[in-house]
């Protein structure tokens, strides 16, 4: 890809409706997308290549990390994004290449030193934020900077910054109450320094939080570092921009080397941003979160309504005149399952050079499409080809 | 898979109609499956995911070994099952991890020591069995036990049992008459001891059989050892059982770590066994041999009749309430070709979470299915996903 890609003026849009794929509530019914009135997406499908994209592997439901890595063209089994990294991205922390991230639980330790509550009574977010401030002010480590950011309730993220860190570390979280927290141990010889830092961190935090029962200790887990992803400008020679409303997706796009744009309010606002910055980039990743959230809630109707809202904005997208547009999801989130799933995700690719097979956009129309069922990792190659940004391979 | 799989109460059935895939006898006709009246499989297809599964590689017709390894989720190009191993499994020999198996031909050697008949005049099975008894009684090797089991006519299987054996051995069979048999030679440095054992075996057999013309010598070929397959309980955390009527398929299932159940008579008897042992396992491989045999005989009508017989038993299977059922074959055996073939095999997966695309079960209905054309190795992942036995991959 790196050898074949060429920089041109043509523009690509990857429009991701998070959790787009669905299932019929009963076997003889229609999916969310099939049941939705989508005149604009249907008209687009009628001049598009269609297929079902598969996120990771047969039967495997992906998290948002691997789901998006595959959409961006990376092998999600080769490039792992640790839970700590996703949490750091989720709180908007701009993770550097040398940073080590971990998830923190504020927790309760009893007088004998055993963990009596792994979530400190699900302490209120406002209380937790005060304790995080306390830690940030008072916790000093020899040989590393540390940044702590609160998430929701008892959860927070720690980022260690120093040269030569490693994420080959075991968790301190014993996973069950009635046990002492575990020392963080290196699982690779190169991780001794990181383990020492993590253990010093816990010791210091214990000292600072001693009088703040129920949140009188911390548990660390999910150590992860910035994955060394080759960047979009290197691989595809694209000036790539991301428009997303949730920090985690902004962070994932940043990992791939995309510039994150200041997005407008709601879905329409994201499309406004696209329009406003159209001249400055040649690749746009637009992330629409609500279909996934509706699917997770088991709300078929709301998922359908959100898809309809996106459909109404499609003409604005077409007016910009992109050379290639893909509309798809990072995975299915069927309302029937109230969770991410492994099912094929409807995929549409519109360009000047397509072989249309149906006049509607839906799972079953896509199943019979000219792209068949294919790995999501191939989407970037397809977009590059359709935008005429790839040289011929071989003579 | 090993990291994502979880043990649950839900049950999976993999129903394999050996050689299920077929072809129309003329291009405008119907395949065996399409021509068969299968109301129960059709009703099941109407609420199933459909696809065509591909056993090994494009254009490649698989033997039973690789065909089943792929169904069980193993890469058949990575895990080879030697012919000696398949023969040992075929005669019901319970091959241990240290056993070295080889195929034997009883053969004829002339006075000059050259092979004059590689099959000893296709000696009768009863005669051959007596000679095998003679060998088992009189043939002793220094440093290894040896077990000989007759197959049909001139064919038998030898199993060598000792520590440190290797199957990196050349055949003694010269493949043509008029040549002397070849010394067995190690093809790896670690196989010297095994080569010596095999050559001693031939020498001893020659001595014992000297007066039993035409079967006065043996040829050895297809050396193989128990492949080190990761077992079903490790990979999938499944208590797996196999129901099959032919020793080779029982043996293949045992290689994968399945428990082989005592099967009832005929196809209906196999389904009775399934019912009887339903509570004790959470995965069942049910192997139905007759479609393949009919296909090999070029008997379109008989293949169709056997499929109809299976169809009539489908309601009994559904009554048991499995969470996920796959119905497929290990390969196609089109009556038109009288042999295994490389063609896609009809595949149906029924569960609570499907995207049905057709109302019949047949090759062409499957070709348009939501699973597309996919490698047979992915079947186990799909079944695990549909039975909700896989955790999410990544956050």
């Amino acid at each position: 890809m790196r050898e074949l890609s060429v920089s041109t003026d043509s523009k690509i849009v990857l429009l991701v409706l998070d959790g787009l794929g669905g299932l019929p509530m009963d076997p003889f019914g229609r999916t969310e997308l099939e049941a939705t009135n989508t005149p604009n997406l249907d008209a687009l499908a009628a001049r598009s290549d269609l297929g079902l994209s598969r996120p990771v592997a047969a039967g495997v439901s992906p998290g948002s990390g691997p789901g998006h890595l595959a959409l961006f063209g990376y092998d999600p089994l080769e490039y792992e994004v640790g839970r700590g990294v996703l949490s750091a991205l989720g709180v908007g922390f701009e993770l550097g290449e040398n940073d080590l991230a971990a998830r923190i639980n504020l927790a309760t330790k009893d007088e004998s030193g055993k963990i009596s509550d792994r979530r400190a009574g699900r302490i209120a977010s406002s209380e937790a934020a005060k304790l995080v401030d306390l830690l940030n002010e008072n916790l000093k480590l020899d040989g590393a900077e540390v940044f702590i950011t609160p998430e929701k309730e008892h959860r927070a993220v720690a980022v260690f910054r120093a040269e030569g860190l490693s994420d080959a570390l075991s968790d301190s979280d014993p996973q069950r109450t009635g046990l002492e927290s575990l020392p963080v141990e290196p699982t690779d010889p190169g991780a001794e320094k990181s383990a020492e830092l993590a253990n010093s961190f816990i010791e210091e935090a214990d000292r600072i939080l001693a009088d703040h029962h129920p949140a009188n200790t911390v548990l660390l887990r999910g150590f992860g570092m910035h994955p060394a992803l080759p960047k979009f400008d290197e691989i595809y020679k694209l000036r790539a921009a991301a428009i997303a409303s949730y920090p985690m997706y902004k962070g994932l796009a940043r990992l791939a080397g995309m510039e994150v744009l200041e997005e407008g309010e709601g879905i329409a606002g994201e499309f406004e941003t696209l329009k406003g910055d159209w001249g400055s980039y040649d690749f746009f990743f637009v992330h629409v979160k609500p279909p996934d959230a509706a699917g997770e809630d088991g709300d078929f109707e709301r998922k359908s309504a959100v898809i309809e809202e996106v459909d109404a904005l499609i003409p604005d997208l077409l007016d910009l005149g992109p050379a290639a547009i893909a509309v798809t999801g990072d995975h299915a989130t069927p309302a029937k399952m109230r969770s991410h799933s492994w099912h094929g995700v409807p995929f549409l690719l519109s360009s000047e050079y397509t072989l249309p097979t149906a006049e509607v956009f839906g799972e079953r129309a896509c199943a019979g499409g000219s792209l068949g069922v294919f790995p999501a990792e191939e989407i970037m190659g397809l977009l590059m080809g359709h935008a005429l940004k790839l040289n011929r391979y071989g003579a």
Side-chain angles (χ1 to χ4, degrees), chain A:
Chain A
M1 195 57 68
R2 210 181 281 255
E3 286 168 32
L4 300 181
S5 60
V6 286
S7 179
T8 71
D9 286 341
S10 65
K11 291 182 192 290
I12 294 173
V13 175
L14 171 60
L15 173 58
V16 175
L17 278 68
D18 203 301
L20 175 63
L23 286 176
M25 297 300 280
D26 78 81
F28 307 107
R30 293 186 293 176
T31 68
E32 295 90 324
L33 178 57
E34 289 169 347
T36 304
N37 180 33
T38 53
N40 296 304
L41 284 167
D42 291 348
L44 192 60
R47 30 197 193 94
S48 292
D49 282 352
L50 301 178
L52 285 176
S53 85
R54 203 178 64 180
V56 176
V60 174
S61 307
S64 300
H68 278 81
L69 288 197
L71 286 180
F72 298 161
Y74 305 100
D75 178 351
L77 298 175
E78 181 182 348
Y79 295 100
E80 282 189 66
V81 182
R83 293 194 165 255
V85 170
L86 277 179
S87 289
L89 301 178
V91 296
F93 192 93
E94 289 209 25
L95 210 62
E97 307 259 339
N98 291 316
D99 292 353
L100 169 66
R103 304 179 86 187
I104 298 178
N105 265 20
L106 292 168
T108 314
K109 188 158 72 167
D110 67 19
E111 279 161 21
S112 71
K114 293 185 172 127
I115 301 299
S116 58
D117 187 333
R118 292 177 54 248
R119 299 181 185 85
R122 287 200 183 271
I123 183 172
S125 301
S126 56
E127 278 305 300
K130 282 182 210 159
L131 296 175
V132 166
D133 285 346
L134 197 68
L135 290 171
N136 274 323
E137 280 158 31
N138 296 287
L139 202 155
K140 304 291 169 219
L141 292 178
D142 270 356
E145 288 183 279
V146 62
F147 311 92
I148 312 164
T149 315
E151 290 188 277
K152 204 177 163 193
E153 297 175 341
H154 56 283
R155 286 189 295 270
V157 189
V159 176
F160 300 85
R161 182 168 291 168
E163 291 291 312
L165 296 182
S166 162
D167 60 2
L169 298 173
S170 66
D171 294 349
S172 84
D173 184 347
Q175 295 290 344
R176 289 197 294 127
T177 53
L179 300 173
E180 289 184 28
S181 75
L182 305 166
V184 174
E185 305 214 31
T187 57
D188 254 14
E192 273 94 0
K193 175 183 165 186
S194 303
E196 276 169 38
L197 277 175
N199 288 317
S200 305
F201 176 92
I202 296 168
E203 206 172 297
E204 285 295 292
D206 277 8
R207 190 181 53 74
I208 296 164
L209 297 175
D211 299 333
H212 294 274
H213 190 279
N216 62 356
T217 191
V218 294
L219 302 173
L220 294 185
R221 60 203 170 101
F223 289 93
M225 291 189 72
H226 193 294
L229 295 177
K231 300 293 187 281
F232 259 48
D233 58 347
E234 298 160 26
I235 310 173
Y236 305 114
K237 304 184 183 73
L238 289 173
R239 293 171 303 158
I243 304 170
S245 60
Y246 276 57
M248 190 199 289
Y249 306 97
K250 294 182 186 181
L252 285 164
R254 217 178 268 122
L255 290 181
M258 295 183 209
E259 194 157 323
V260 175
L261 305 180
E262 190 69 44
E263 83 282 7
E265 178 82 21
I267 304 174
E270 293 191 351
F271 278 73
E272 279 304 315
T273 303
L274 180 66
K275 195 171 165 184
D277 285 293
W278 187 249
S280 310
Y281 303 90
D282 35 37
F283 176 92
F284 294 88
F285 158 56
V286 183
H287 182 264
V288 176
K289 178 71 179 168
D292 178 60
E296 294 262 10
D297 289 345
D299 193 334
F300 192 101
E301 298 304 327
R302 197 174 97 230
K303 187 169 166 189
S304 174
V306 179
I307 295 170
E308 200 169 338
E309 188 181 342
V310 174
D311 184 75
L313 295 163
I314 294 295
D316 296 347
L317 169 55
L318 299 182
D319 284 347
L320 296 170
I325 307 170
V327 183
T328 190
D330 53 338
H331 52 72
T333 308
K336 181 174 186 171
M337 299 186 70
R338 296 173 174 267
S339 72
H340 294 196
S341 83
W342 61 88
H343 296 88
V345 184
F347 177 84
L348 158 171
L349 196 162
S350 163
S351 83
E352 191 88 3
Y353 312 107
T354 58
L355 192 65
T357 49
E359 305 200 339
V360 291
F361 189 41
E363 281 79 357
R364 276 167 277 212
C366 289
S370 58
L371 297 172
V373 180
F374 69 99
E377 271 172 79
E378 298 180 350
I379 289 173
M380 279 303 302
L382 289 170
L383 281 169
M384 291 289 290
H386 278 264
L388 306 184
K389 287 178 186 286
L390 289 183
N391 282 327
R392 180 185 291 191
Y393 176 69

